[in-house]
Amino acid sequence: MKNKLVLGTVQMGLPYGVNNSIGKISFENSCQILAQAFDLGISTLDTAEAYGNAHRVIGEFHKANPKVKFDIITKIPHD
């Protein structure tokens, strides 16, 4: 059975959020979050080109962890 939770990645690429007082999370913390999410059965990530360097963070995580495979939902600009 697929997990119905999707992990959003905007804070991995931008200092995003009304209540975000710490800004963009570090690459190391992003990797810890991605690893923990995968271990807990979350298999899908939500991202976008507009999320700063979130795509790069996800790509670097996958390079360092080739056995971890996420499904990716991404948004791209229409232009």
Side-chain angles (χ1 to χ4, degrees), residues 14-27:
L14 292 173
Y16 177 83
V18 172
N19 292 321
N20 179 0
S21 61
I22 62 167
K24 180 178 137 180
I25 58 176
S26 69
F27 175 75

Side-chain angles (χ1 to χ4, degrees), residues 10-73:
V10 67
Q11 283 185 318
M12 294 177 186
L14 292 173
Y16 177 83
V18 172
N19 292 321
N20 179 0
S21 61
I22 62 167
K24 180 178 137 180
I25 58 176
S26 69
F27 175 75
E28 293 77 16
N29 285 344
S30 295
C31 289
Q32 290 172 346
I33 290 167
L34 291 168
Q36 181 76 26
F38 186 80
D39 289 345
L40 292 172
I42 295 173
S43 59
T44 305
L45 303 177
D46 172 73
T47 192
E49 286 189 19
Y51 291 1
N53 70 333
H55 280 161
R56 184 179 323 160
V57 170
I58 294 165
E60 292 298 321
F61 174 81
H62 276 135
K63 277 192 222 175
N65 300 277
K67 293 185 180 191
V68 175
K69 301 291 183 199
F70 285 105
D71 294 322
I72 307 290
I73 298 168

